[in-house]
Structures are given as structure tokens and as C-alpha cells.
Amino acid sequence: MRTYRIPLVPGPTTVPPEIRAAYQEDYGSADLEPEYYDLYAETQEMLRTILGTHNQVVIMTGEAMVALWGALKSTLRPDDRVVAVATGVFGYGIADMARRLGAVVEVVGFDHDEAADPERVEEAIRRVRPKMVTMVHCETPSGTLNPVAEVGELVARYEVPLFYVDAVSSAAGVPLRVDEWRIDLCMVGTQKCLSALPDLGIVTVSERAWAIVEEVGYVGYDALQPFRTALEDRWFPYTPSWHAMAALNVACRRVLREGLENVFRRHAEVAAYCRERLRAMGLQLFPRREEWCSPTVTAVKVPEGLPWPELDRRLRERGMAVGGSLGPLAGKVFRIGHMGAQADLDLVRHGMEVLEEALRG
Ligand SMILES: *Cc1c(COP(=O)(O)O)cnc(C)c1O
């Protein structure tokens, strides 16, 4: 299917017409025009409000992974000690990425159906005294939300230099307070709760992190360093995508126009509704405790006697797409993405009716 009639994949999410329209203009050169710098500055300011930070916001061309890699490579050196909190595919994946950069990584691992326990993280921080703690806010493949605020308190108490948080599928869907939670590097994408195209990677960078970026001196396409002074110097390390920035600007404007609290409430209400309907169908949520479920995505166990490929086929026949899962959960779990423009009660109600029908055969 090229276009989903009932789009419920947990990213990339459906792109509303207002955001799509931003891509249609024939923009000039972003390197030459002051309007582009104004657009970048204004978008940065809106992201600060959405993410609860006064820090600089780096906006790179690419997808969310460019932000995850760029932030790691810009701050880690071989033999640096990292405590990686891992509760799912992305958490374990980030641990692997850091290891491949030569860091010495202590994984604080949990099962995929649970959220992190800060006590075990504290034990590791005390023992390892890491340069960096990594964590994923919403672990999208398992539908869980991790206690970032609590781990942030530990990071502050033990004076860990860097707190690295993947908030790709939580930012603009659930409360996220970068400064209050002492996050030094917060990574966000455009194709989840912001409902734009997968074309930009966003990183908030604290002053503490900038000092380490200068010390490490990493150079490369995904390096953070050139963005530190890009606005003042009127110089980006490569030609920016004006189209993508214009779309992100509209996406942020939509979030702030609705109001952050309203956006969070909409996500929570739609998630609660979705879970109630799933339970009524006799389906089981994947996270072991409901309090661990993320308001942006619901992970459900594939029902016995109905293999995932067959369920997927029946849904697609009816114009509906949801996510399967990844890694060890492939074939066992499927996911309903109710984030961004898909956190829509009518859409999810429709989706649940189709799912009911598909389960009946
Ligand atoms: C979507 C997502 C990313 C980006 O990964 P892609 O597979 O490239 O889309 C990173 N982290 C999390 C938690 C995500 O949900």
C-alpha cells in the first residue's frame, strides 16, 4: 500500500495537509537568504518550548538516527565509560552503538515488557562512575515509557557529565522537561509525534555537553560542533533543506497552537480508549504493567491461533496498517501508533472496529 486509509503505524506517521503544504513551495538557497536563518531560529525557539529547555537546539538534515549517532560520536572517545539503560530494541541498540565507538559500556538491562527501575540504574552509576548515561524515553517497539525524570535526578546527584536521552517517539506526545530532568543531549525526530517527513534529526545540547563536544573534536557530516555557532556565523556545514525546516516549523506551530497540555491530554485519552477497546476484544497488552505503557504507542500480544502475517494481511485488506515489532518481539507483538496526527479519537475508533472485524476473520 502506498497510502494507508487507516494509518496507525508508530512512525512514520501520517502527514497532515497543512504540513505537507510546507514542502510545496519553491524555496531559494538556504545558504543565501536571511529568511532561512530566521526560520531556523524561530523553529529552534518553538522546540525549546516543546522540550522544556533553554539549551541550543541543533537541527540536522537526515533522519532521527543522524541525531542519535551524531550526539554519540561528538561526545564519546574510546575507553569512555557509559552506563546504558536498556529496556528494548533502541536501548540495547544505543549500548551497541557506543560499544562500536570504543566506549566501555555497562548495560543495565531489563526485559522488553518492563520499564527501567531507577534503583538498578543508581547501583550501576555508583559502581561505574560513567561519563555518560544513555536512556530511551519511549521504547517504541515495546510500547513502554521509561522514568527519565527519576534517572535525571540520579545523573544530577552523582554528577554524571552527560545524560543522553532518545525521545524520538515521546517528544510532543508526552511531557518532557529537558532542563528539569538534567538532559544534556535529547534526540528527537520529525516523523513521530510531530507528524512531518523523516528528514531531520534534532538534538538539544547543554553547555556541559558543548564543552565535551569541543574537547572530543569529532568531525564528520553528523558532527554537532559546527552547529554551535551556525546561526551567528550564518554558515551551516552543508546546504540545509529549507523544505524540511519549513515543514518542521509548521509542525511545531500546530503543537503550540493546540497547547502543550492539550496535546498531552489528547495522547493520554486516545491511548486509554485504545487499550479499553483492546481489552474488550480479549487481547493482552504487551507491557507487564499498564503504568508502563506509553501514551504514544500501544503494544499488543499477537493472539494465539492467528499468526501475525495473517492478521496483518486481514488489516491491510481493509486499508489499515499497524506496526509489527522488531528484534525479539517480531511476530509476537504488534503496535498501534496513536502519536501526533494519529492521536485522533475518530481514527483510533475506526481502527479498533476494523481490528475487531479482522479478528473475527
Ligand atoms: C523511530 C525511532 C527512532 C528512529 O529510528 P528509525 O528506525 O530510523 O525510524 C529512534 N528511536 C526511537 C525510540 C524511535 O521510536
Side-chain angles (χ1 to χ4, degrees):
M1 276 191 288
R2 267 168 67 120
T3 303
Y4 304 143
R5 207 153 37 77
I6 310 167
L8 287 168
V9 173
T13 52
T14 187
V15 182
E18 188 188 0
I19 296 177
R20 253 182 280 153
Y23 289 98
Q24 300 308 316
E25 198 168 325
D26 186 25
Y27 298 99
S29 164
D31 293 316
L32 300 180
E33 308 307 324
E35 285 93 334
Y36 179 77
Y37 291 92
D38 294 343
L39 180 73
Y40 186 102
E42 188 187 70
T43 309
Q44 167 167 252
E45 203 48 47
M46 287 193 282
L47 284 168
R48 283 190 176 120
T49 305
I50 293 170
L51 304 174
T53 185
H54 296 291
N55 290 339
Q56 237 187 333
V57 183
V58 169
I59 309 170
M60 313 161 107
T61 307
E63 189 261 357
M65 291 309 297
V66 83
L68 293 195
W69 273 115
L72 271 191
K73 288 175 157 181
S74 297
T75 53
L76 286 184
R77 276 205 284 229
D79 300 326
D80 280 343
R81 289 191 304 275
V82 172
V83 164
V85 182
T87 66
V89 172
F90 284 100
Y92 285 98
I94 290 165
D96 242 23
M97 287 157 65
R99 207 177 286 116
R100 282 156 71 189
L101 296 177
V104 179
V105 182
E106 171 84 14
V107 177
V108 185
F110 298 87
D111 289 338
H112 288 244
D113 59 356
E114 54 184 2
D117 170 6
E119 270 184 36
R120 284 192 42 216
V121 179
E122 180 169 11
E123 186 281 320
I125 291 176
R126 289 167 70 140
R127 182 165 40 81
V128 175
R129 294 285 164 179
K131 172 180 178 180
M132 174 189 279
V133 170
T134 69
M135 191 169 192
V136 178
H137 195 197
C138 170
E139 188 59 77
T140 328
S142 30
T144 51
L145 194 72
N146 276 309
V148 174
E150 285 81 347
V151 173
E153 258 173 56
L154 298 172
V155 163
R157 187 176 333 140
Y158 292 97
E159 297 177 357
V160 178
L162 292 171
F163 189 23
Y164 171 106
V165 176
D166 170 348
V168 175
S169 66
S170 61
V174 305
L176 172 60
R177 315 289 320 158
V178 165
D179 290 354
E180 240 174 88
W181 300 354
R182 236 234 57 182
I183 301 172
D184 297 285
L185 298 157
C186 183
M187 279 61 63
V188 177
T190 42
Q191 80 271 34
K192 304 278 168 83
C193 301
L194 289 164
S195 289
L197 265 59
D199 50 14
L200 295 173
I202 299 163
V203 191
T204 72
V205 187
S206 70
E207 279 309 312
R208 213 175 3 256
W210 278 129
I212 292 173
V213 166
E214 298 295 343
E215 208 179 279
V216 167
Y218 167 67
V219 293
Y221 181 89
D222 55 354
L224 295 182
Q225 197 276 332
F227 287 89
R228 187 174 192 182
T229 53
L231 266 185
E232 286 148 56
D233 300 348
R234 291 282 187 261
W235 185 87
F236 283 100
Y238 44 77
T239 298
S241 167
W242 195 328
H243 299 74
M245 189 63 70
L248 174 59
N249 186 279
V250 174
C252 291
R253 205 174 285 281
R254 281 166 60 91
V255 167
L256 296 177
R257 194 170 61 206
E258 182 178 350
L260 271 180
E261 292 309 316
N262 297 331
V263 168
F264 300 152
R265 190 176 325 114
R266 172 165 56 81
H267 280 81
E269 283 172 4
V270 170
Y273 171 81
C274 177
R275 284 159 203 166
E276 191 187 297
R277 289 290 302 263
L278 293 167
R279 268 193 298 267
M281 287 177 225
L283 293 173
Q284 265 190 314
L285 299 184
F286 174 67
R288 231 181 311 139
R289 288 196 207 152
E290 178 126 17
E291 75 217 52
W292 291 336
C293 290
S294 172
T296 54
V297 51
T298 295
V300 195
K301 291 185 187 166
V302 173
E304 276 190 43
L306 182 55
W308 162 244
E310 171 60 14
L311 176 57
D312 189 36
R313 192 191 61 76
R314 291 185 194 177
L315 293 172
R316 285 169 171 273
E317 221 171 56
R318 293 165 171 84
M320 172 159 153
V322 300
S325 198
L326 308 170
L329 305 183
K332 297 182 184 148
V333 165
F334 69 100
R335 298 166 304 144
I336 297 152
H338 35 70
M339 56 179 79
Q342 292 172 193
D344 178 290
L345 203 53
D346 288 333
L347 171 67
V348 172
R349 187 182 295 125
H350 191 181
M352 291 302 103
E353 272 147 29
V354 169
L355 177 59
E356 236 163 28
E357 221 181 88
L359 290 175
R360 280 198 300 265

